[in-house]
């Protein structure tokens, strides 16, 4: 077993297992271990190209690193006597190639810039996955919307029947919100994708390093500027978590609706068995557990965000070990958001919408009263507030037929609607939910003509976003391929 060589010079090492466990980030470091091997390779290539390390040492180290890349870092590197994977891996490398060579890899860097680089690289991958999954969910919403342009349903405010709308309009609302989440992830990606490597502990280094080169090898857009900020900053983690929290705040609303809509007294949707659970005692039960867990994941993500904010607040410059405590929250929060997106897309894709029940409910609760008031304004010249009061009074009286409306008009405004030409037929058509929906054809409205147009337009946005994330992914894959090729050339 290798010793933790980082402690060898300055400290004795009689720590108890509890202290080792307390100090070590090993569990969370499993998330970044693969990235760390790539970071080592890029750093080594740069040291070699700059003549900071001699060829023989560089070749021996690169051969060992390529072994780690192909077969994984040996298990002994993950022992909790090491404070982290960086120390564990260095000890194993030194064990393999000897300290004369292995002891040279950590020139001109620190674990502080190393870990910040690893976290950014791993988070970059997660942001790409989040963008892809957001697109998948948006695609499902758009397809489902396109199939339900004419599916009339009640729209709600205050969870009270408000005005008729369509299922397409409802689902398009979520798609539009999720497109902003995509934009936020893409934005966070651009700020994230700068390379801290070379900042060393915080004060950079006196070695003649080439930060542009390592940044390029690792697929970053550029090296980070100020070296103190490079190792201290975790706002990229806060930003990613905030974006996930914002996104899950929205997806949890859709989950809540699936839960309400699947109740026996609403029955707007039947979730597929695969997304439901039953009861251990009540044999008849079909519960929307997937939607409930997902609603709760919103709390997990928000909790991770609050943890990250609280851990970083008030930290003096530059690196503080507190930052280690933040990283697991990052993976936990991001992971919860990601799995929610995947499961939600499946839940919606496999759901069956009860269009008859929706139509039946659409006209309830005087939900077309607004359209009737609008007709009085458009066709009989009433001020909107007067029409609003007349219809409101008629609702209070209990009916929207001509006699009641006439009595209400007399009471509220001292006028006769009959005299102005209102007929039972005109009332009936104004109260038809389909007519009310069709009338609402302004930009963004529920009229099938408008939602049909929206579906096409939104699909174009989605295609553009998919292209954007595919090109980010391709650039990352190309960077890794190029890095490995360079590494192999050095090791040959
Ligand atoms: N395990 C540490 C972390 O996750 C790596 C950096 C350690 N730096 C240090 N000065 N102890 O943040």
């Amino acid at each position: 077993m290798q010793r933790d060589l980082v402690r060898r010079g300055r400290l004795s090492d009689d720590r108890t297992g509890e202290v080792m466990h307390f100090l070590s980030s090993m569990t969370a470091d499993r998330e970044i271990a693969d990235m760390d091997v790539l970071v080592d390779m890029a750093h080594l290539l740069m040291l070699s190209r700059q003549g900071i390390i001699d060829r023989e040492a560089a070749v021996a180290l690169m051969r060992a690193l390529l072994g780690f890349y192909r077969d994984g870092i040996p298990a002994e590197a993950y022992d909790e006597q090491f404070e982290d994977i960086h120390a564990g891996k260095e000890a194993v490398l030194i064990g393999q190639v000897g300290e004369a060579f292995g002891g040279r890899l950590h020139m001109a860097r620190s674990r502080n810039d190393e870990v910040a680089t690893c976290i950014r690289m791993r988070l970059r991958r997660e942001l790409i996955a989040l963008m892809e999954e957001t697109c998948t969910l948006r695609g499902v919403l758009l397809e489902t919307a396109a199939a339900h342009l004419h599916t009339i349903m009640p729209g709600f405010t205050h969870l009270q029947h408000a005005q008729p709308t369509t299922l397409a309009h409802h689902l398009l609302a979520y798609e539009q919100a999720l497109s902003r989440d995509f934009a936020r992830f893409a934005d966070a990606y651009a700020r994230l994708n700068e390379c801290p490597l070379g900042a060393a502990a915080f004060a950079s280094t006196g070695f003649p390093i080439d930060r542009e080169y390592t940044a390029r090898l690792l697929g970053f857009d550029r090296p980070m500027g100020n070296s103190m900020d490079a190792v201290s900053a975790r706002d990229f983690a806060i930003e990613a978590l905030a974006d996930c929290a914002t996104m899950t705040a929205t997806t949890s609303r859709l989950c809540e609706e699936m839960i309400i809509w699947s109740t026996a007294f609403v029955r707007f949707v039947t979730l597929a068995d695969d997304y439901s659970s039953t009861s251990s005692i009540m044999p008849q039960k079909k519960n929307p557990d997937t939607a409930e867990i997902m609603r709760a994941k919103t709390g997990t993500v928000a909790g991770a965000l609050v943890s990250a904010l609280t851990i970083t607040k008030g930290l003096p410059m530059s690196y503080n070990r507190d930052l280690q405590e933040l990283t697991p929250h990052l993976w936990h929060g991001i992971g919860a958001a990601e799995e929610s997106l995947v499961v939600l897309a499946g839940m919606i894709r496999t759901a069956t919408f009860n269009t008859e029940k929706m139509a039946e409910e659409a006209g309830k609760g005087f939900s077309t009263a607004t359209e009737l008031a609008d007709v009085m304004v458009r066709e009989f010249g009433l001020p909107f507030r007067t029409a609003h009061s007349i219809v409101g009074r008629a609702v209070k009286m209990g009916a929207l037929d001509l006699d009641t409306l006439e009595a209400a008009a007399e009471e509220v405004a001292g006028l006769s609607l009959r005299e102005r030409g209102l007929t039972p037929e005109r009332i009936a058509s104004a109260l038809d939910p389909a007519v009310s929906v069709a009338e609402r054809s302004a930009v963004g409205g529920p009229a099938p003509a408008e939602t049909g147009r929206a579906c096409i337009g939104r699909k174009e946005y989605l295609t553009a976003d998919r292209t954007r994330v595919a090109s980010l992914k391709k650039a990352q894959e190309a960077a890794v391929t190029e890095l490995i090729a360079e590494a192999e050339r050095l090791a040959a």
Side-chain angles (χ1 to χ4, degrees):
M1 168 56 61
Q2 308 300 321
R3 286 197 53 210
D4 186 346
L5 302 172
V6 176
R7 297 175 66 90
R8 185 177 61 189
R10 179 66 178 83
L11 301 173
S12 62
D13 204 355
D14 298 323
R15 290 172 299 155
T16 62
E18 287 85 357
V19 173
M20 286 184 190
H21 180 70
F22 191 75
L23 273 180
S24 181
S25 55
M26 210 50 100
T27 309
D29 284 354
R30 289 186 180 274
E31 307 285 347
I32 56 168
D34 292 350
M35 303 299 145
D36 206 16
V37 175
L38 300 178
V39 170
D40 280 356
M41 287 177 173
H43 183 65
L44 180 58
L45 282 167
M46 183 278 294
L47 291 179
S48 174
R49 195 163 100 145
Q50 296 296 100
I52 301 169
I53 193 169
D54 66 53
R55 195 173 158 75
E56 209 187 339
V59 169
L61 276 165
M62 194 57 92
R63 285 181 181 158
L65 288 173
L66 282 166
F68 291 0
Y69 176 72
R70 276 190 297 268
D71 310 326
I73 301 170
E76 57 263 38
Y78 291 96
D79 193 293
E80 283 198 338
Q81 66 149 323
F82 301 114
E83 288 192 3
D84 47 40
I85 189 60
H86 321 296
K89 178 170 47 54
E90 184 184 40
V92 171
L93 266 179
I94 287 174
Q96 282 190 8
V97 304
E99 189 160 337
F101 293 161
R104 292 179 194 278
L105 183 59
H106 211 60
M107 282 189 284
R109 75 170 184 193
S110 148
R111 284 182 292 178
N112 299 350
D113 57 339
E114 187 179 352
V115 74
T117 308
C118 292
I119 297 170
R120 282 173 186 263
M121 287 170 66
R122 173 63 201 274
L123 183 55
R124 201 165 61 182
R125 210 170 74 189
E126 300 310 320
L127 284 179
I128 286 176
L130 280 162
M131 283 187 261
E132 286 177 332
E133 298 308 340
T134 306
C135 286
T136 304
L137 177 55
R138 286 166 63 194
V140 170
L141 290 168
L142 287 180
E143 270 166 40
T144 316
H148 288 284
L149 298 181
H150 297 276
T151 301
I152 309 275
M153 65 174 289
F156 303 91
T157 61
H158 313 269
L159 203 54
Q160 306 282 329
H161 289 64
Q163 291 179 43
T165 184
T166 64
L167 182 55
H169 192 230
H170 200 114
L171 296 175
L172 284 168
Y174 282 106
E175 192 282 326
Q176 180 166 293
L178 285 159
S179 75
R180 292 192 296 276
D181 293 306
F182 178 96
R184 273 185 280 269
F185 291 136
D187 233 46
Y189 187 97
R191 265 185 291 278
L192 170 74
N193 204 27
E194 294 189 339
C195 187
L197 198 63
F202 80 89
S204 80
T205 174
F207 289 99
I209 60 172
D210 182 349
R211 293 192 62 202
E212 298 280 349
Y213 180 53
T214 43
R216 195 167 60 245
L217 284 174
L218 293 171
F220 287 99
D221 294 331
R222 61 192 77 84
M224 276 187 87
N226 183 287
S227 62
M228 189 179 281
D229 178 48
V231 297
S232 311
R234 290 295 183 273
D235 54 303
F236 66 86
I238 291 171
E239 184 175 8
L241 285 169
D243 293 350
C244 285
T246 308
M247 190 270 292
T248 50
T250 296
T251 52
S252 70
R253 297 176 71 168
L254 183 49
C255 289
E256 170 73 358
E257 291 187 330
M258 291 304 110
I259 293 164
I260 294 173
W261 289 11
S262 62
T263 60
F265 48 88
V266 176
R267 281 194 301 111
F268 281 1
V269 75
T270 306
L271 298 179
D273 284 3
D274 291 353
Y275 292 89
S276 308
S277 297
T278 187
S279 156
S280 61
I281 178 170
M282 298 166 281
Q284 85 285 8
K285 292 281 282 178
K286 179 172 175 183
N287 296 326
D289 291 32
T290 319
E292 291 172 307
I293 297 274
M294 206 176 299
R295 192 172 52 178
K297 291 279 182 199
T298 309
T300 301
V301 178
L305 169 62
V306 172
S307 300
L309 285 166
T310 315
I311 288 168
T312 48
K313 92 164 259 305
L315 285 183
M317 285 289 172
S318 57
Y319 178 85
N320 297 273
R321 196 64 182 279
D322 310 47
L323 296 179
Q324 172 176 302
E325 188 72 8
L326 183 153
T327 318
H329 294 290
L330 176 61
W331 307 136
H332 195 49
I334 299 282
E338 246 177 75
E339 62 181 348
S340 295
L341 278 170
V342 174
V343 174
L344 186 53
M347 190 200 299
I348 301 297
R349 189 189 288 118
T350 55
T352 310
F353 293 96
N354 185 347
T355 56
E356 273 168 32
K357 184 72 193 321
M358 286 177 165
E360 191 185 312
E361 285 291 326
K364 285 197 185 161
F366 299 104
S367 72
T368 42
T370 309
E371 176 60 14
L372 184 57
D374 288 350
V375 164
M376 292 179 189
V377 173
R378 284 198 300 265
E379 297 175 20
F380 308 118
L382 263 54
F384 178 75
R385 188 54 61 219
T386 309
H388 178 273
S389 300
I390 293 171
V391 177
R393 181 61 56 87
V395 167
K396 193 174 175 181
M397 292 170 164
L400 289 179
D401 53 34
L402 187 53
D403 286 345
T404 316
L405 283 162
E406 191 62 4
E410 171 58 34
E411 247 183 64
V412 169
L415 60 84
S416 164
L417 292 166
R418 237 186 219 114
E419 274 171 21
R420 294 184 182 223
L422 187 64
T423 62
E425 295 69 36
R426 189 66 195 93
I427 296 172
S429 85
L431 294 182
D432 181 344
V435 170
S436 167
V437 165
E439 289 286 345
R440 280 157 179 72
S441 59
V443 172
E450 176 56 16
T451 47
R453 190 200 60 77
C455 280
I456 293 166
R458 301 300 307 175
K459 224 171 170 173
E460 281 166 19
Y461 278 124
L462 177 59
T463 304
D465 285 348
R466 281 189 158 131
T467 307
R468 187 169 172 195
V469 63
S471 88
L472 293 176
K473 195 173 177 178
K474 210 168 138 209
Q476 289 311 327
E477 285 163 0
V480 175
T481 307
E482 181 52 29
L483 172 63
I484 299 303
E486 284 276 325
E488 280 168 347
R489 272 194 286 278
L490 175 67

